[in-house]
Amino acid sequence: MAHEHPYVSEAREGKPGCEWTVALLVCLTGILAGLGYTTAATIVLVVTAVVLGLIRVILRDRSPWKVRSAVFDSLMCLCFGLGLSVLALSIHFMV
């Protein structure tokens, strides 16, 4: 029986440039939140997640953002972005 080695290298996953851009945007949200600009931080995080989800849906295997399957990646990004925006809006309107 031939055993196939699982692919775990960066060569088969996302592009490092895209991953570093996402990392910088997440750091930016932390800085904005730390300075008291929580709404701006939330917007940056929501837009980042939704854009990544849409990129993964549209480009599928050519996408620079890859973690797992295209369905999983896009579902997680879009659900996180939309869920966070609904949560932020509900908090904003309750105050």
Side-chain angles (χ1 to χ4, degrees):
M1 272 180 84
H3 294 286
E4 290 187 30
H5 191 276
Y7 292 105
V8 293
S9 67
E10 288 291 323
R12 295 189 54 91
E13 296 175 357
K15 304 284 186 251
C18 183
E19 293 170 354
W20 278 105
T21 302
V22 172
L24 290 173
L25 287 169
V26 170
C27 289
L28 175 65
T29 61
I31 292 168
L32 287 171
L35 294 173
Y37 300 108
T38 54
T39 302
T42 304
I43 290 170
V44 170
L45 200 55
V46 166
V47 170
T48 301
V50 171
V51 167
L52 287 174
L54 292 174
I55 286 172
R56 189 68 166 122
V57 166
I58 294 167
L59 296 179
R60 302 208 42 94
D61 289 332
R62 296 174 298 143
S63 171
W65 178 256
K66 295 179 187 177
V67 179
R68 298 283 178 220
S69 68
V71 174
F72 178 84
D73 291 347
S74 56
L75 186 66
M76 289 298 111
C77 287
L78 293 173
C79 286
F80 177 74
L82 295 175
L84 183 60
S85 63
V86 167
L87 179 65
L89 287 173
S90 69
I91 292 170
H92 178 70
F93 286 118
M94 291 195 69
V95 172

